[in-house]
Amino acid sequence: MPTIFDVAQAAGVGVGTVSRVLNDSPAVSDSTRSRVLAVISALDYRPSSLARGLSLGTSNIIGAVVPTVTHPSSMERLHGVLDELGGSGYDLALYQVEGEEQRSSRIRDIVRPDRCSAGLLVSLRATPDEIFLMVRAKRPVVAIDGYIEGLPGCHIDNVAGGRMATEHLLALGHRVIAFVGDVEDDLGFNPGAARFEGYRAALRGCHVPLRDDLIKTGPSCRERADQLTGHLFDLAEPPTGIVATSDTQAFGVMAAVRSRGMEVPTDVSVVGFDDLELAGHLGLTTVRQPLYESGVLGARMVLQQLDGHRDGLDVVELPLEVVVRETTAPPNNGSALYGA
Amino acid sequence: MPTIFDVAQAAGVGVGTVSRVLNDSPAVSDSTRSRVLAVISALDYRPSSLARGLSLGTSNIIGAVVPTVTHPSSMERLHGVLDELGGSGYDLALYQVEGEEQRSSRIRDIVRPDRCSAGLLVSLRATPDEIFLMVRAKRPVVAIDGYIEGLPGCHIDNVAGGRMATEHLLALGHRVIAFVGDVEDDLGFNPGAARFEGYRAALRGCHVPLRDDLIKTGPSCRERADQLTGHLFDLAEPPTGIVATSDTQAFGVMAAVRSRGMEVPTDVSVVGFDDLELAGHLGLTTVRQPLYESGVLGARMVLQQLDGHRDGLDVVELPLEVVVRETTAPPNNGSALYGA
DNA sequence: TTGAAAGCGTTACCAA
DNA sequence: TTGGTAACGCTTTCAA
């Protein structure tokens, strides 16, 4: 691999000049610049990012910290990040965290200038200590999905989302609506709790009493969804609609409903949350949150800070939208009367 | 951030000695070593990976090139990679490619010592030129899912997989079996073609004639799956079983079947391929391929080469297995007689 | 507008 | 077993 020295020699100039050409310094005559450029492309020279980083005091890597990379929603966000980072010259390093200590250690990593020039925290919360670490490092870090005090980022209004899902069902005439929630992950991140608040608020708004027996929470694996949902239909007054805390959870609910010989939406309506690609495939009515867009925006914010544009950076709230598909319909019995 | 020089000074030794301690050189006395170690932890010193990389001539990053990161199967593999890379000291850089030129450019990137110390090619094929590039670079590159001549890696026998799926249906008594295939991606990678070969071989083995009208290929989006599958049931002799080229495709098929008022597996059996997490949730019978494990193995192979263990490295074939769930059952009519 | 040279923080070689 | 120092390839400052 040719070095900047080789280029300088071949072009008959000093390395300083080559460096200036590389970094678009205006202090280079046009003739010299074109001569150097010619040699660069002739030699297929590319500056060493290691040497450049050492000299500049920072790497060209943006570190993304993500819990459970396999979750479809994380991937969607990451996809946005990668697309936006595309031609930026920055590479993305992916750090997976599965526990509190790992998170701390990864946060420490991404604020080290020799590791990363900036960081992205996806669907994560942070302790005051960790926040202090990031702020002190004075390194751009943005939070994608999940508000972290002191950091710019984007997130959604989960309370509003839960309300929208519930109100959709309410508007269709449902009055017995169950809530199937997720459990908090290992890192204490739990959007489901806020969505539940929205569910509660929506019911209150329609003067529908909250019934504890209609509220189920558990991990979204199939067996649990089965149990969770199953119990719901053993009730004296079973739900005609179900708000699930995520699309994944909703899929489990749908499978459980069907396994009991019932039909969606004929016997029961189901609303999800996220609008994963699969939700479209399976016709799930859901609250869409801009997953891909959150990644694009987060990456853009980081890039802006890296360019020195510290202005206009803030915490932005992304819009939500109910996408009505085929898993919701008006209740097919007189249950609307009960709750009224 | 403290440098190696700070540590040396505080410990009253030269930087060379600190470096030796850092790199577990045996040529350090126990007393010196413990003294240096004490200072290191007192100062919370961590060597600059940039400086270390420049000196060593290579970074501590492993670059993974992946098409469409959002595909669940890629994520599963990446998850395995990340888990295996965990405490190795290597970071993972994620490169997404969406076209031939991008692939070439990314391959060029990962074999550059200032960018990556090794590479991982996931679900990708490579042109002879690209292979030459990698071999010449003498840098560890392993192929995960997809055999690339001259590179170590792991893959599955797609022909066998297609055969297994089809034979499962055949064994249940099905004789009119459709094949719903995926289209080749933008990068010319198409495991579906080999799976189709397996389908064909299985039918031949049972003396079931191949019927062109039972073979459909198209992108796995919902609308297309609907059309694709729909046409199948307009046939004079519709299929009692469907082999899908992927779980994703199978989900589309199932949705399409249901949208026509038919039941799975009562009216038609469906077999997928991959065994995504969701396949378990939805009770899909499928051919399981070790996705997570392929990532673990690929990462392990790279790490081995990085450690200088060039031996024992080869192309390994991962096992396949039919996971029978609830979408397959014997045909409920006499159609078995037709094909015999 | 340009060249020379000092750093950036390591590793590794050469003496001691 | 150690310390001193060249080298890694770049950016940037200082003179010219």
Side-chain angles (χ1 to χ4, degrees):
Chain A
M1 295 214 319
T3 71
I4 197 173
F5 187 78
D6 299 322
V7 175
Q9 218 163 22
V13 300
V15 292
T17 302
V18 178
S19 176
R20 279 183 279 265
V21 170
L22 250 22
N23 297 288
D24 294 312
S25 160
V28 183
S29 74
D30 284 348
S31 65
T32 307
R33 159 166 290 122
S34 58
R35 190 151 35 95
V36 170
L37 250 18
V39 173
I40 286 179
S41 73
L43 262 44
D44 191 29
Y45 164 76
R46 309 268 271 132
S48 156
S49 54
L50 244 21
R52 182 159 208 277
L54 180 60
S55 182
L56 253 27
T58 182
S59 81
N60 70 142
I61 292 172
I62 292 177
V65 185
V66 185
T68 52
V69 285
T70 43
H71 200 299
S73 60
S74 303
M75 291 325 307
E76 240 1 286
R77 299 188 204 276
L78 228 36
H79 189 200
V81 169
L82 285 166
D83 279 359
E84 182 67 18
L85 252 37
S88 72
Y90 288 97
D91 285 353
L92 184 85
L94 189 56
Y95 297 100
Q96 185 182 219
V97 294
E98 306 201 289
E100 300 265 346
E101 345 62 46
Q102 260 192 45
R103 185 186 54 201
S104 269
S105 142
R106 285 329 194 170
I107 286 180
R108 230 177 295 268
D109 283 349
I110 60 167
V111 298
R112 286 190 52 118
D114 64 310
R115 300 288 286 272
C116 298
S117 51
L120 245 19
L121 259 30
V122 181
S123 302
L124 240 29
R125 55 190 204 87
T127 63
D129 282 359
E130 291 164 350
I131 294 174
F132 175 69
L133 226 51
M134 296 187 277
V135 173
R136 190 188 51 179
K138 293 199 198 303
R139 213 141 267 289
V141 179
V142 350
I144 294 179
D145 181 40
Y147 168 69
I148 296 183
E149 187 163 357
L151 296 188
C154 57
H155 64 141
I156 56 167
D157 183 342
N158 282 300
V159 176
R163 193 184 316 116
M164 288 164 76
T166 312
E167 280 172 353
H168 168 62
L169 253 22
L170 250 10
L172 284 174
H174 293 271
R175 285 301 175 272
V176 186
I177 302 174
F179 184 88
V180 176
D182 236 328
V183 288
E184 176 169 290
D185 69 16
D186 295 341
L187 296 135
F189 193 77
N190 182 204
R195 290 172 197 167
F196 175 69
E197 285 314 310
Y199 160 81
R200 196 149 70 170
L203 292 188
R204 197 183 314 120
C206 271
H207 307 290
V208 175
L210 194 68
R211 273 173 48 190
D212 283 350
D213 57 351
L214 289 177
I215 298 155
K216 303 284 176 188
T217 34
S220 66
C221 63
R222 176 149 210 274
E223 303 69 38
R224 300 305 307 273
D226 222 350
Q227 290 177 21
L228 254 38
T229 315
H231 291 323
L232 250 23
F233 297 109
D234 295 335
L235 296 174
E237 197 188 1
T240 62
I242 300 179
V243 172
T245 212
S246 69
D247 284 355
T248 313
Q249 198 86 338
F251 299 142
V253 168
M254 283 165 68
V257 167
R258 289 199 179 112
S259 76
R260 297 178 76 89
M262 301 171 70
E263 290 275 331
V264 176
T266 323
D267 299 310
V268 58
S269 289
V270 178
V271 189
F273 202 109
D274 279 346
D275 196 24
L276 302 181
E277 198 184 331
L278 196 66
H281 293 351
L282 300 185
L284 177 68
T285 293
T286 192
V287 178
R288 172 175 204 279
Q289 70 163 314
L291 295 170
Y292 175 87
E293 293 83 351
S294 74
V296 171
L297 181 59
R300 192 170 298 161
M301 290 174 102
V302 144
L303 253 18
Q304 271 177 14
Q305 286 190 71
L306 252 11
D307 280 354
H309 299 297
R310 287 206 159 264
D311 50 307
L313 265 181
D314 222 340
V315 174
V316 354
E317 187 180 307
L318 266 15
L320 295 173
E321 173 195 4
V322 176
V323 180
V324 180
R325 296 206 182 88
E326 295 119 56
T327 57
T328 49
N332 67 356
N333 53 33
S335 71
L337 302 176
Y338 295 125
Chain B
M1 293 213 322
T3 70
I4 197 173
F5 187 77
D6 301 322
V7 175
Q9 220 162 21
V13 300
V15 292
T17 302
V18 178
S19 177
R20 277 183 282 264
V21 170
L22 250 21
N23 296 287
D24 294 311
S25 160
V28 183
S29 74
D30 285 347
S31 64
T32 307
R33 159 166 290 124
S34 57
R35 189 152 36 99
V36 171
L37 251 16
V39 173
I40 286 178
S41 72
L43 263 46
D44 191 29
Y45 164 76
R46 310 269 272 133
S48 156
S49 55
L50 244 20
R52 182 160 210 276
L54 179 59
S55 184
L56 253 26
T58 183
S59 81
N60 68 143
I61 293 171
I62 293 177
V65 185
V66 185
T68 54
V69 284
T70 43
H71 199 297
S73 61
S74 302
M75 291 324 308
E76 234 9 278
R77 298 187 205 276
L78 227 36
H79 189 199
V81 169
L82 284 166
D83 279 358
E84 181 68 18
L85 251 37
S88 71
Y90 288 97
D91 285 352
L92 185 85
L94 189 55
Y95 298 100
Q96 184 181 223
V97 294
E98 304 202 290
E100 299 267 345
E101 347 59 49
Q102 260 193 44
R103 184 186 56 201
S104 267
S105 142
R106 287 327 194 170
I107 287 180
R108 230 177 295 267
D109 283 347
I110 60 167
V111 299
R112 285 190 52 119
D114 64 310
R115 299 289 286 270
C116 298
S117 51
L120 244 19
L121 260 31
V122 181
S123 301
L124 240 30
R125 57 191 204 89
T127 63
D129 281 359
E130 292 164 349
I131 295 176
F132 174 70
L133 225 50
M134 297 187 276
V135 173
R136 189 188 52 179
K138 293 197 197 306
R139 214 143 268 289
V141 179
V142 349
I144 294 177
D145 181 41
Y147 168 69
I148 297 182
E149 188 162 359
L151 297 187
C154 58
H155 64 143
I156 57 167
D157 183 342
N158 282 301
V159 176
R163 194 185 314 117
M164 289 164 75
T166 313
E167 280 172 352
H168 168 63
L169 253 23
L170 250 9
L172 284 173
H174 293 270
R175 287 301 175 270
V176 187
I177 302 174
F179 184 89
V180 175
D182 236 328
V183 288
E184 175 170 291
D185 69 16
D186 295 341
L187 296 135
F189 193 77
N190 184 207
R195 291 173 196 167
F196 175 69
E197 286 314 309
Y199 160 82
R200 195 150 72 171
L203 292 187
R204 197 184 313 118
C206 270
H207 307 289
V208 175
L210 194 68
R211 274 174 46 190
D212 283 350
D213 56 353
L214 290 176
I215 298 156
K216 303 284 176 188
T217 35
S220 66
C221 63
R222 176 150 210 270
E223 303 69 37
R224 300 305 307 274
D226 221 351
Q227 290 176 22
L228 254 39
T229 315
H231 291 323
L232 250 22
F233 297 109
D234 295 332
L235 295 175
E237 196 187 2
T240 63
I242 301 179
V243 171
T245 210
S246 70
D247 285 354
T248 311
Q249 197 87 337
F251 299 142
V253 168
M254 283 165 66
V257 167
R258 289 200 178 113
S259 75
R260 297 178 75 89
M262 302 171 68
E263 289 275 330
V264 176
T266 322
D267 300 309
V268 58
S269 288
V270 177
V271 189
F273 202 110
D274 279 345
D275 196 23
L276 303 181
E277 199 184 332
L278 195 67
H281 293 351
L282 299 185
L284 177 68
T285 293
T286 192
V287 177
R288 170 175 204 279
Q289 70 163 313
L291 295 170
Y292 176 85
E293 293 83 349
S294 74
V296 171
L297 182 59
R300 191 170 298 162
M301 290 173 102
V302 145
L303 253 19
Q304 271 178 14
Q305 285 190 73
L306 251 11
D307 281 354
H309 298 296
R310 285 206 161 266
D311 49 307
L313 265 182
D314 222 341
V315 174
V316 354
E317 187 179 307
L318 265 15
L320 295 173
E321 174 195 3
V322 175
V323 179
V324 181
R325 296 206 182 88
E326 296 118 54
T327 57
T328 50
N332 67 356
N333 53 33
S335 71
L337 302 174
Y338 295 124

